[in-house]
Amino acid sequence: MNSDEVSLLIKKLIEKNSKFESGDLFAVAEIKDLYEELNLKLSEGEGLKNLTKFILILYELAESLLEPEKEEKILELFQAANQSIYDLLNVPEKKKTAIQMINETIAEIKKFKSEFAQNKKNELFSSVNLIINKVENLENGDLFLISEIKEDFENLQKQIEKNSSIECCLQDFAFLIEAFLFTNENEAIKKSALESLKDIILFYKNEIDINILNKKHDQRNQKINQIKEKMQLNESLSDKYSKNYFNNIIQDEKMLSQLCDEINDHMNKAQYTLVDLEYDETNQENINKIFRAFHTAKGSSAFLGLKNIEEVGHQMENLLVLVRDGKLRITSELIDVIFIGIELLRNLTSIMEVNQFKIEKMVESFKKVDIFSYIRLIKKILEQYSFKKIGQILEEEGLLRVKDVKHILQKQKETSKKFGEIAVEEKMITPTELENAVNKQTSSLKKSSYVRVSNDRLNLLVDTVGELVINQSMLRQILTDSKMDNKAVRERVISQLEGISTNIKNIVLSMGMVPIAEVFNKLRVVIRNTTTELGKAVIVDIRGEDTELDRNVIETIYDPLVHIVRNAVDHGIEFPGEREKGKKDRVGKIIISAEHKGNGIEISVWDDGKGIKKERIIEKALQLGLLGEDKIENLTEKEIYNLMFQPGFSTAEKVTEVSGRGVGLDVVKKNIDEIRGKIEIFSKEKEFTKFVIKLPLTLAIIEGFVTEVGENKYIFPFNLVDEIIVPQEEMLSIMDNGTMMLFNRGIYIPVIFSGKIFGESEYKKDTNNLVAIIIFYDNKHYAVVVDKVIGKQETVIKNLSEVLNDLAVFSGGTIFGDGTIGFVVDLDGFLDKVKDLEEKIKKN
Amino acid sequence: MSAEASSVKYLIFSLNKEYYGIPISKVREVIRFVNITPVHETLKFIKGVINLRGKIIPIIDMRLKFGLQENQYNDRTIFIIVDIHGVKSVFNMGITVESVHDVTDINEETMEKAPEIGLKLKSQYLSGIAKIKDKMIMLLNMDRILTTEDVILMKDFQKNE
């Protein structure tokens, strides 16, 4: 033995040890090499057996250096060990203490190891307990819990892999949980698997007496074998690739390889689309895309005889049909299931590639891939959403035998009778049994609680209900006028009718309402895409997504909103660097909100970007000839912003329809005009821009407050009317600018003579005995003077014809019980008109 | 004159002793005078709206539209309800006339193009002129009569007033 070499090695070791960095694979390997070498050198000498044993322990320990939680402690141990070995060999006077040190270190290593194993085990216990918990709560067919359990299991497996001492049970674990995942049709297997799982946990917990342990181990093995047998029995019944399963594969390498490429391509597309779907689950186009992907995969693989791919594709297609038809909602769990399917298909194609499309080899590998468990999984989901055939139900109930079912089916082909009818005729079942079965069949249908109704029919229904309401008010009129003696009966009849029709009305109107969340979610995606495209960062805040809108409006509002939102990201929000300079948060903010306001709905898009430069707009409008030089001075802020809605004002960059920005702000305005909405811009340079879209009443029937002014009847939305007063003369005062104010309940309220606004020539102007309705709108009070108050009434809003669409004061007309026509006031339009008139007066 | 394929049925009505025709396919119905609910603050020739079996229909006074003196309506005033192809949709509109005469086949061959000048009516309202016996009939293009441009023009005019 060369003591110089040995001490050199130990010195090297000490050096390596002190310089060790976490996770350094090479350092670990070197340390191991050094120990090995040391061991070799020492074993040449005599009487050092104990020392070589110690070094072996160290060698093994080095392996664990890569585990971060152990690293520190091990390094410490190494340091002590190396020092004592060095002392033992080179410093004779320290020999004794060194031996002592070595013994201590060995003890410490042992302790450390067992402690760590204990920790690991505890962790393991809790994981297993978690799984057990979940398993106990598992209901039949709860697919998502199953996939959760599977995930837990995968984690567990990782933990076990690290811990070699319980490796022996790894396979059992895998098997038992697998048994859970895919055999839930068999309660017995499930139960025994559950018990075995519990046993295993107990086994670890009582890891004291090795004998008991072994006994238990044997017991467990026995049980597991039992389950295995049962499972195999189960499997051989339905699953397993049958003998000729792969017999039809066409031997054409070129075509097979093309198919592989095609499927991989489709799977990639499907995967991307799925990610999009996660953000926007209602995108029909995307659902169709994925559907098509699987459909093609299925079709082409069937053509080449690849039955396994075909079957997987087929099941996934079935699953997506449910999604497409709106019976199943896309959730992240469902997306996971589809992802698993995509992986499975990819797996199969890669098998083909690896085996270079040689059929024998392919088939051999194919047979090792279990597609059936996945197919079962999907079937399980499908079962919940489709209804069973009558025969299947009867068979399950034990009322019919398989033979009988076949017999009846045969008969059914000959006659046009229903399955149940034949069964009863043949006296195989009683009519009551049939009835029960039919009930069962329909009860499993309950899950799909949506009915698709065409737009036209729904609109027709709304119209018809409108007619009903009108007719009802006619009836009331007639009954009131008639000289029927029994007033009480009359009242009761009419109020019952009114109750019923109000109910119908509410149901019908709510049928057409859709929450705006659908649109907002799409906008979120638009913002995300645009920001990544442009390299900006934006947080989106969405408010009031529960607000319900008429579905016709929802359809129209989407495009304008996309445009506005894109504008906000593109032109509004600055680049992060720019924002930092402007002392703003690097991340921009966009708030999209919807709320009920007055008798309409307000949707706004707000961004904290650079705002709009008024000068630039004027400049541009001048350039484009949209504005005369002389008019510049009198422009109000609103008028300046409104210039942006002029046709041709859109910015220089002409973008095509393809890129999705086919609309300029003029088109936005046109779209919003179409649904009788209004759009307004608010902005402050360097601070914010806000687009506000006000949509009028979308409800076709409102609670109206009927008044008479001049020669016509006008209807105000009832929910805006605060009170009706006949003001005393001392309550009225005239301001310096000529406007009249009403002092009511401690506040001054501007008085509006509605006759003037409606253009009536003869209305009550006398300040004595005025009738004023106090309207509270947009946080302000207005006293609207009318000639006469008639009362509250259900009002069906009818479209005034296109010819009269420019009458912004009205949201429509209505027909009363006596056949006369009234006009429904749109408060926004009404107040705009008031302002216009005031300005005119000022100018004169 | 045989009923050839190229002949179209027209409804003939009179206004201020002149004859006009509308293709019958455009005519929804012809009704007697009913009460008009006036609409203020809109185009001058829009007299108001009527309730036609639960539908609100605007009424246009053709005399005013053609720049004639306004006549008081009486029980003999007639409303012709026509289909108009508007910018956004097809809608109904009523026009007031003094009397309805006849439904006649007008052969395309006997139709003449409306002259650019010499008529009271702007030629853009007309799809042609036909002669039946000794009467001259101006064939109206109903969709044109209320084209948006025209409406906007009139509106601006009104606002400037």
Side-chain angles (χ1 to χ4, degrees), chain A residues 111-140:
Chain A
K111 202 175 133 205
F112 168 69
K113 269 190 169 174
S114 72
E115 247 175 39
F116 208 84
Q118 193 58 44
N119 273 345
K120 273 277 160 202
K121 243 163 260 164
N122 285 341
E123 248 175 65
L124 218 58
F125 287 156
S126 60
S127 307
V128 174
N129 274 331
L130 192 75
I131 296 178
I132 290 278
N133 247 333
K134 283 183 182 167
V135 168
E136 277 173 347
N137 290 327
L138 187 70
E139 274 170 33
N140 223 356

PDB file of all heavy atoms in Angstrom, chain A residues 111-140:
ATOM      1  N   LYS A 111     -28.320   6.486  11.640  1.00  0.00           N
ATOM      2  CA  LYS A 111     -29.447   7.220  12.202  1.00  0.00           C
ATOM      3  C   LYS A 111     -30.101   8.098  11.120  1.00  0.00           C
ATOM      4  O   LYS A 111     -31.314   8.124  10.943  1.00  0.00           O
ATOM      5  CB  LYS A 111     -28.942   8.079  13.368  1.00  0.00           C
ATOM      6  CG  LYS A 111     -30.044   8.470  14.344  1.00  0.00           C
ATOM      7  CD  LYS A 111     -29.435   9.212  15.538  1.00  0.00           C
ATOM      8  CE  LYS A 111     -30.217  10.461  15.828  1.00  0.00           C
ATOM      9  NZ  LYS A 111     -29.410  11.477  16.520  1.00  0.00           N
ATOM     10  N   PHE A 112     -29.223   8.765  10.443  1.00  0.00           N
ATOM     11  CA  PHE A 112     -29.686   9.684   9.387  1.00  0.00           C
ATOM     12  C   PHE A 112     -30.521   8.952   8.355  1.00  0.00           C
ATOM     13  O   PHE A 112     -31.601   9.376   7.962  1.00  0.00           O
ATOM     14  CB  PHE A 112     -28.460  10.341   8.755  1.00  0.00           C
ATOM     15  CG  PHE A 112     -28.742  11.070   7.489  1.00  0.00           C
ATOM     16  CD1 PHE A 112     -29.481  12.235   7.511  1.00  0.00           C
ATOM     17  CD2 PHE A 112     -28.268  10.585   6.277  1.00  0.00           C
ATOM     18  CE1 PHE A 112     -29.738  12.895   6.339  1.00  0.00           C
ATOM     19  CE2 PHE A 112     -28.530  11.258   5.107  1.00  0.00           C
ATOM     20  CZ  PHE A 112     -29.263  12.416   5.134  1.00  0.00           C
ATOM     21  N   LYS A 113     -29.985   7.806   7.951  1.00  0.00           N
ATOM     22  CA  LYS A 113     -30.685   7.039   6.930  1.00  0.00           C
ATOM     23  C   LYS A 113     -32.083   6.631   7.392  1.00  0.00           C
ATOM     24  O   LYS A 113     -33.056   6.765   6.671  1.00  0.00           O
ATOM     25  CB  LYS A 113     -29.879   5.780   6.583  1.00  0.00           C
ATOM     26  CG  LYS A 113     -28.904   5.996   5.443  1.00  0.00           C
ATOM     27  CD  LYS A 113     -28.353   4.665   5.018  1.00  0.00           C
ATOM     28  CE  LYS A 113     -27.583   4.762   3.721  1.00  0.00           C
ATOM     29  NZ  LYS A 113     -26.934   3.481   3.417  1.00  0.00           N
ATOM     30  N   SER A 114     -32.149   6.121   8.601  1.00  0.00           N
ATOM     31  CA  SER A 114     -33.445   5.633   9.058  1.00  0.00           C
ATOM     32  C   SER A 114     -34.427   6.787   9.268  1.00  0.00           C
ATOM     33  O   SER A 114     -35.603   6.683   8.949  1.00  0.00           O
ATOM     34  CB  SER A 114     -33.282   4.819  10.343  1.00  0.00           C
ATOM     35  OG  SER A 114     -32.973   5.679  11.418  1.00  0.00           O
ATOM     36  N   GLU A 115     -33.889   7.887   9.791  1.00  0.00           N
ATOM     37  CA  GLU A 115     -34.741   9.062   9.975  1.00  0.00           C
ATOM     38  C   GLU A 115     -35.366   9.483   8.653  1.00  0.00           C
ATOM     39  O   GLU A 115     -36.546   9.749   8.532  1.00  0.00           O
ATOM     40  CB  GLU A 115     -33.907  10.237  10.506  1.00  0.00           C
ATOM     41  CG  GLU A 115     -34.260  10.640  11.918  1.00  0.00           C
ATOM     42  CD  GLU A 115     -33.308  11.709  12.411  1.00  0.00           C
ATOM     43  OE1 GLU A 115     -32.947  12.611  11.612  1.00  0.00           O
ATOM     44  OE2 GLU A 115     -32.917  11.638  13.581  1.00  0.00           O
ATOM     45  N   PHE A 116     -34.500   9.522   7.698  1.00  0.00           N
ATOM     46  CA  PHE A 116     -34.957   9.995   6.396  1.00  0.00           C
ATOM     47  C   PHE A 116     -35.997   9.062   5.809  1.00  0.00           C
ATOM     48  O   PHE A 116     -37.011   9.498   5.250  1.00  0.00           O
ATOM     49  CB  PHE A 116     -33.767  10.118   5.458  1.00  0.00           C
ATOM     50  CG  PHE A 116     -34.008  11.155   4.427  1.00  0.00           C
ATOM     51  CD1 PHE A 116     -33.757  12.478   4.728  1.00  0.00           C
ATOM     52  CD2 PHE A 116     -34.520  10.820   3.203  1.00  0.00           C
ATOM     53  CE1 PHE A 116     -34.013  13.443   3.801  1.00  0.00           C
ATOM     54  CE2 PHE A 116     -34.787  11.798   2.273  1.00  0.00           C
ATOM     55  CZ  PHE A 116     -34.522  13.120   2.564  1.00  0.00           C
ATOM     56  N   ALA A 117     -35.722   7.790   5.983  1.00  0.00           N
ATOM     57  CA  ALA A 117     -36.677   6.808   5.469  1.00  0.00           C
ATOM     58  C   ALA A 117     -38.031   6.987   6.163  1.00  0.00           C
ATOM     59  O   ALA A 117     -39.090   6.912   5.536  1.00  0.00           O
ATOM     60  CB  ALA A 117     -36.158   5.404   5.704  1.00  0.00           C
ATOM     61  N   GLN A 118     -37.960   7.295   7.471  1.00  0.00           N
ATOM     62  CA  GLN A 118     -39.195   7.491   8.206  1.00  0.00           C
ATOM     63  C   GLN A 118     -39.990   8.677   7.636  1.00  0.00           C
ATOM     64  O   GLN A 118     -41.186   8.583   7.388  1.00  0.00           O
ATOM     65  CB  GLN A 118     -38.859   7.740   9.695  1.00  0.00           C
ATOM     66  CG  GLN A 118     -40.050   7.645  10.621  1.00  0.00           C
ATOM     67  CD  GLN A 118     -40.723   6.272  10.516  1.00  0.00           C
ATOM     68  OE1 GLN A 118     -40.050   5.250  10.497  1.00  0.00           O
ATOM     69  NE2 GLN A 118     -42.029   6.265  10.410  1.00  0.00           N
ATOM     70  N   ASN A 119     -39.248   9.749   7.427  1.00  0.00           N
ATOM     71  CA  ASN A 119     -39.894  10.934   6.841  1.00  0.00           C
ATOM     72  C   ASN A 119     -40.592  10.591   5.537  1.00  0.00           C
ATOM     73  O   ASN A 119     -41.741  10.931   5.305  1.00  0.00           O
ATOM     74  CB  ASN A 119     -38.857  12.012   6.540  1.00  0.00           C
ATOM     75  CG  ASN A 119     -38.627  12.877   7.762  1.00  0.00           C
ATOM     76  OD1 ASN A 119     -39.437  12.824   8.682  1.00  0.00           O
ATOM     77  ND2 ASN A 119     -37.547  13.615   7.776  1.00  0.00           N
ATOM     78  N   LYS A 120     -39.826   9.897   4.731  1.00  0.00           N
ATOM     79  CA  LYS A 120     -40.352   9.519   3.420  1.00  0.00           C
ATOM     80  C   LYS A 120     -41.640   8.735   3.591  1.00  0.00           C
ATOM     81  O   LYS A 120     -42.623   8.948   2.903  1.00  0.00           O
ATOM     82  CB  LYS A 120     -39.331   8.650   2.688  1.00  0.00           C
ATOM     83  CG  LYS A 120     -38.334   9.442   1.919  1.00  0.00           C
ATOM     84  CD  LYS A 120     -38.919   9.810   0.578  1.00  0.00           C
ATOM     85  CE  LYS A 120     -38.135  10.979   0.043  1.00  0.00           C
ATOM     86  NZ  LYS A 120     -38.828  11.757  -0.934  1.00  0.00           N
ATOM     87  N   LYS A 121     -41.568   7.820   4.550  1.00  0.00           N
ATOM     88  CA  LYS A 121     -42.711   6.950   4.744  1.00  0.00           C
ATOM     89  C   LYS A 121     -43.925   7.750   5.182  1.00  0.00           C
ATOM     90  O   LYS A 121     -45.027   7.535   4.701  1.00  0.00           O
ATOM     91  CB  LYS A 121     -42.374   5.871   5.776  1.00  0.00           C
ATOM     92  CG  LYS A 121     -42.422   4.496   5.169  1.00  0.00           C
ATOM     93  CD  LYS A 121     -41.722   3.508   6.027  1.00  0.00           C
ATOM     94  CE  LYS A 121     -40.331   3.235   5.479  1.00  0.00           C
ATOM     95  NZ  LYS A 121     -39.460   2.588   6.429  1.00  0.00           N
ATOM     96  N   ASN A 122     -43.678   8.686   6.088  1.00  0.00           N
ATOM     97  CA  ASN A 122     -44.793   9.520   6.531  1.00  0.00           C
ATOM     98  C   ASN A 122     -45.443  10.245   5.357  1.00  0.00           C
ATOM     99  O   ASN A 122     -46.662  10.285   5.228  1.00  0.00           O
ATOM    100  CB  ASN A 122     -44.318  10.539   7.568  1.00  0.00           C
ATOM    101  CG  ASN A 122     -44.074   9.887   8.895  1.00  0.00           C
ATOM    102  OD1 ASN A 122     -44.571   8.783   9.140  1.00  0.00           O
ATOM    103  ND2 ASN A 122     -43.300  10.528   9.741  1.00  0.00           N
ATOM    104  N   GLU A 123     -44.583  10.781   4.546  1.00  0.00           N
ATOM    105  CA  GLU A 123     -45.097  11.460   3.355  1.00  0.00           C
ATOM    106  C   GLU A 123     -45.950  10.512   2.534  1.00  0.00           C
ATOM    107  O   GLU A 123     -47.037  10.829   2.087  1.00  0.00           O
ATOM    108  CB  GLU A 123     -43.929  11.928   2.490  1.00  0.00           C
ATOM    109  CG  GLU A 123     -43.782  13.430   2.434  1.00  0.00           C
ATOM    110  CD  GLU A 123     -42.528  13.778   1.655  1.00  0.00           C
ATOM    111  OE1 GLU A 123     -42.496  13.478   0.446  1.00  0.00           O
ATOM    112  OE2 GLU A 123     -41.595  14.322   2.258  1.00  0.00           O
ATOM    113  N   LEU A 124     -45.403   9.331   2.390  1.00  0.00           N
ATOM    114  CA  LEU A 124     -46.076   8.315   1.616  1.00  0.00           C
ATOM    115  C   LEU A 124     -47.453   7.998   2.211  1.00  0.00           C
ATOM    116  O   LEU A 124     -48.446   7.894   1.514  1.00  0.00           O
ATOM    117  CB  LEU A 124     -45.212   7.055   1.641  1.00  0.00           C
ATOM    118  CG  LEU A 124     -45.163   6.271   0.353  1.00  0.00           C
ATOM    119  CD1 LEU A 124     -44.665   7.148  -0.757  1.00  0.00           C
ATOM    120  CD2 LEU A 124     -44.248   5.070   0.535  1.00  0.00           C
ATOM    121  N   PHE A 125     -47.437   7.864   3.554  1.00  0.00           N
ATOM    122  CA  PHE A 125     -48.706   7.567   4.224  1.00  0.00           C
ATOM    123  C   PHE A 125     -49.749   8.601   3.884  1.00  0.00           C
ATOM    124  O   PHE A 125     -50.873   8.280   3.530  1.00  0.00           O
ATOM    125  CB  PHE A 125     -48.531   7.571   5.747  1.00  0.00           C
ATOM    126  CG  PHE A 125     -47.784   6.386   6.245  1.00  0.00           C
ATOM    127  CD1 PHE A 125     -47.104   6.436   7.453  1.00  0.00           C
ATOM    128  CD2 PHE A 125     -47.761   5.218   5.511  1.00  0.00           C
ATOM    129  CE1 PHE A 125     -46.408   5.343   7.909  1.00  0.00           C
ATOM    130  CE2 PHE A 125     -47.073   4.117   5.974  1.00  0.00           C
ATOM    131  CZ  PHE A 125     -46.382   4.178   7.170  1.00  0.00           C
ATOM    132  N   SER A 126     -49.336   9.852   4.012  1.00  0.00           N
ATOM    133  CA  SER A 126     -50.355  10.889   3.793  1.00  0.00           C
ATOM    134  C   SER A 126     -50.853  10.828   2.353  1.00  0.00           C
ATOM    135  O   SER A 126     -52.040  11.002   2.092  1.00  0.00           O
ATOM    136  CB  SER A 126     -49.813  12.265   4.156  1.00  0.00           C
ATOM    137  OG  SER A 126     -48.703  12.555   3.365  1.00  0.00           O
ATOM    138  N   SER A 127     -49.943  10.563   1.411  1.00  0.00           N
ATOM    139  CA  SER A 127     -50.404  10.475   0.027  1.00  0.00           C
ATOM    140  C   SER A 127     -51.375   9.330  -0.131  1.00  0.00           C
ATOM    141  O   SER A 127     -52.426   9.463  -0.770  1.00  0.00           O
ATOM    142  CB  SER A 127     -49.222  10.229  -0.918  1.00  0.00           C
ATOM    143  OG  SER A 127     -48.228  11.170  -0.710  1.00  0.00           O
ATOM    144  N   VAL A 128     -51.001   8.203   0.467  1.00  0.00           N
ATOM    145  CA  VAL A 128     -51.865   7.028   0.331  1.00  0.00           C
ATOM    146  C   VAL A 128     -53.209   7.291   1.001  1.00  0.00           C
ATOM    147  O   VAL A 128     -54.260   6.975   0.448  1.00  0.00           O
ATOM    148  CB  VAL A 128     -51.195   5.784   0.922  1.00  0.00           C
ATOM    149  CG1 VAL A 128     -52.160   4.615   0.913  1.00  0.00           C
ATOM    150  CG2 VAL A 128     -49.956   5.431   0.137  1.00  0.00           C
ATOM    151  N   ASN A 129     -53.144   7.921   2.173  1.00  0.00           N
ATOM    152  CA  ASN A 129     -54.392   8.231   2.857  1.00  0.00           C
ATOM    153  C   ASN A 129     -55.297   9.099   2.006  1.00  0.00           C
ATOM    154  O   ASN A 129     -56.503   8.895   1.945  1.00  0.00           O
ATOM    155  CB  ASN A 129     -54.100   8.945   4.175  1.00  0.00           C
ATOM    156  CG  ASN A 129     -53.855   7.940   5.283  1.00  0.00           C
ATOM    157  OD1 ASN A 129     -54.385   6.836   5.236  1.00  0.00           O
ATOM    158  ND2 ASN A 129     -53.042   8.312   6.250  1.00  0.00           N
ATOM    159  N   LEU A 130     -54.653  10.074   1.362  1.00  0.00           N
ATOM    160  CA  LEU A 130     -55.406  10.970   0.483  1.00  0.00           C
ATOM    161  C   LEU A 130     -56.115  10.165  -0.597  1.00  0.00           C
ATOM    162  O   LEU A 130     -57.308  10.337  -0.861  1.00  0.00           O
ATOM    163  CB  LEU A 130     -54.420  11.956  -0.152  1.00  0.00           C
ATOM    164  CG  LEU A 130     -55.046  13.134  -0.863  1.00  0.00           C
ATOM    165  CD1 LEU A 130     -55.568  14.122   0.168  1.00  0.00           C
ATOM    166  CD2 LEU A 130     -54.023  13.796  -1.768  1.00  0.00           C
ATOM    167  N   ILE A 131     -55.362   9.256  -1.181  1.00  0.00           N
ATOM    168  CA  ILE A 131     -55.952   8.453  -2.247  1.00  0.00           C
ATOM    169  C   ILE A 131     -57.102   7.617  -1.699  1.00  0.00           C
ATOM    170  O   ILE A 131     -58.185   7.555  -2.286  1.00  0.00           O
ATOM    171  CB  ILE A 131     -54.893   7.537  -2.892  1.00  0.00           C
ATOM    172  CG1 ILE A 131     -53.837   8.404  -3.569  1.00  0.00           C
ATOM    173  CG2 ILE A 131     -55.532   6.610  -3.899  1.00  0.00           C
ATOM    174  CD1 ILE A 131     -52.726   7.621  -4.201  1.00  0.00           C
ATOM    175  N   ILE A 132     -56.858   7.015  -0.534  1.00  0.00           N
ATOM    176  CA  ILE A 132     -57.899   6.182   0.060  1.00  0.00           C
ATOM    177  C   ILE A 132     -59.164   6.999   0.271  1.00  0.00           C
ATOM    178  O   ILE A 132     -60.276   6.580  -0.069  1.00  0.00           O
ATOM    179  CB  ILE A 132     -57.421   5.630   1.420  1.00  0.00           C
ATOM    180  CG1 ILE A 132     -56.329   4.589   1.200  1.00  0.00           C
ATOM    181  CG2 ILE A 132     -58.578   5.035   2.197  1.00  0.00           C
ATOM    182  CD1 ILE A 132     -56.837   3.223   0.863  1.00  0.00           C
ATOM    183  N   ASN A 133     -58.950   8.183   0.793  1.00  0.00           N
ATOM    184  CA  ASN A 133     -60.088   9.076   0.997  1.00  0.00           C
ATOM    185  C   ASN A 133     -60.876   9.275  -0.273  1.00  0.00           C
ATOM    186  O   ASN A 133     -62.094   9.150  -0.323  1.00  0.00           O
ATOM    187  CB  ASN A 133     -59.575  10.437   1.464  1.00  0.00           C
ATOM    188  CG  ASN A 133     -60.007  10.707   2.872  1.00  0.00           C
ATOM    189  OD1 ASN A 133     -61.027  10.175   3.285  1.00  0.00           O
ATOM    190  ND2 ASN A 133     -59.248  11.482   3.594  1.00  0.00           N
ATOM    191  N   LYS A 134     -60.134   9.600  -1.307  1.00  0.00           N
ATOM    192  CA  LYS A 134     -60.786   9.861  -2.582  1.00  0.00           C
ATOM    193  C   LYS A 134     -61.476   8.614  -3.097  1.00  0.00           C
ATOM    194  O   LYS A 134     -62.572   8.665  -3.637  1.00  0.00           O
ATOM    195  CB  LYS A 134     -59.768  10.357  -3.605  1.00  0.00           C
ATOM    196  CG  LYS A 134     -59.417  11.813  -3.377  1.00  0.00           C
ATOM    197  CD  LYS A 134     -58.477  12.343  -4.423  1.00  0.00           C
ATOM    198  CE  LYS A 134     -58.130  13.783  -4.111  1.00  0.00           C
ATOM    199  NZ  LYS A 134     -57.002  14.260  -4.884  1.00  0.00           N
ATOM    200  N   VAL A 135     -60.797   7.496  -2.926  1.00  0.00           N
ATOM    201  CA  VAL A 135     -61.360   6.250  -3.426  1.00  0.00           C
ATOM    202  C   VAL A 135     -62.666   5.952  -2.712  1.00  0.00           C
ATOM    203  O   VAL A 135     -63.642   5.521  -3.318  1.00  0.00           O
ATOM    204  CB  VAL A 135     -60.359   5.099  -3.221  1.00  0.00           C
ATOM    205  CG1 VAL A 135     -61.038   3.766  -3.469  1.00  0.00           C
ATOM    206  CG2 VAL A 135     -59.183   5.256  -4.154  1.00  0.00           C
ATOM    207  N   GLU A 136     -62.688   6.231  -1.410  1.00  0.00           N
ATOM    208  CA  GLU A 136     -63.908   5.938  -0.675  1.00  0.00           C
ATOM    209  C   GLU A 136     -65.070   6.810  -1.117  1.00  0.00           C
ATOM    210  O   GLU A 136     -66.221   6.413  -1.082  1.00  0.00           O
ATOM    211  CB  GLU A 136     -63.660   6.099   0.837  1.00  0.00           C
ATOM    212  CG  GLU A 136     -63.041   4.828   1.404  1.00  0.00           C
ATOM    213  CD  GLU A 136     -62.631   4.987   2.836  1.00  0.00           C
ATOM    214  OE1 GLU A 136     -62.599   6.134   3.320  1.00  0.00           O
ATOM    215  OE2 GLU A 136     -62.324   3.966   3.467  1.00  0.00           O
ATOM    216  N   ASN A 137     -64.708   8.014  -1.527  1.00  0.00           N
ATOM    217  CA  ASN A 137     -65.771   8.917  -1.986  1.00  0.00           C
ATOM    218  C   ASN A 137     -66.161   8.698  -3.438  1.00  0.00           C
ATOM    219  O   ASN A 137     -67.040   9.366  -3.970  1.00  0.00           O
ATOM    220  CB  ASN A 137     -65.316  10.368  -1.830  1.00  0.00           C
ATOM    221  CG  ASN A 137     -65.250  10.748  -0.378  1.00  0.00           C
ATOM    222  OD1 ASN A 137     -66.032  10.263   0.410  1.00  0.00           O
ATOM    223  ND2 ASN A 137     -64.305  11.594  -0.034  1.00  0.00           N
ATOM    224  N   LEU A 138     -65.438   7.800  -4.046  1.00  0.00           N
ATOM    225  CA  LEU A 138     -65.640   7.618  -5.479  1.00  0.00           C
ATOM    226  C   LEU A 138     -67.034   7.065  -5.770  1.00  0.00           C
ATOM    227  O   LEU A 138     -67.432   6.040  -5.248  1.00  0.00           O
ATOM    228  CB  LEU A 138     -64.581   6.646  -5.988  1.00  0.00           C
ATOM    229  CG  LEU A 138     -64.544   6.473  -7.499  1.00  0.00           C
ATOM    230  CD1 LEU A 138     -64.029   7.730  -8.152  1.00  0.00           C
ATOM    231  CD2 LEU A 138     -63.649   5.311  -7.851  1.00  0.00           C
ATOM    232  N   GLU A 139     -67.724   7.793  -6.630  1.00  0.00           N
ATOM    233  CA  GLU A 139     -69.021   7.279  -7.052  1.00  0.00           C
ATOM    234  C   GLU A 139     -68.854   6.657  -8.411  1.00  0.00           C
ATOM    235  O   GLU A 139     -67.969   7.038  -9.171  1.00  0.00           O
ATOM    236  CB  GLU A 139     -70.026   8.424  -7.135  1.00  0.00           C
ATOM    237  CG  GLU A 139     -70.678   8.699  -5.822  1.00  0.00           C
ATOM    238  CD  GLU A 139     -71.476   9.980  -5.907  1.00  0.00           C
ATOM    239  OE1 GLU A 139     -72.004  10.270  -6.979  1.00  0.00           O
ATOM    240  OE2 GLU A 139     -71.528  10.676  -4.892  1.00  0.00           O
ATOM    241  N   ASN A 140     -69.727   5.773  -8.687  1.00  0.00           N
ATOM    242  CA  ASN A 140     -69.604   5.074  -9.951  1.00  0.00           C
ATOM    243  C   ASN A 140     -69.628   6.056 -11.112  1.00  0.00           C
ATOM    244  O   ASN A 140     -70.515   6.881 -11.221  1.00  0.00           O
ATOM    245  CB  ASN A 140     -70.759   4.088 -10.093  1.00  0.00           C
ATOM    246  CG  ASN A 140     -70.243   2.793 -10.641  1.00  0.00           C
ATOM    247  OD1 ASN A 140     -69.053   2.697 -10.967  1.00  0.00           O
ATOM    248  ND2 ASN A 140     -71.104   1.804 -10.735  1.00  0.00           N
TER     249      ASN A 140
END
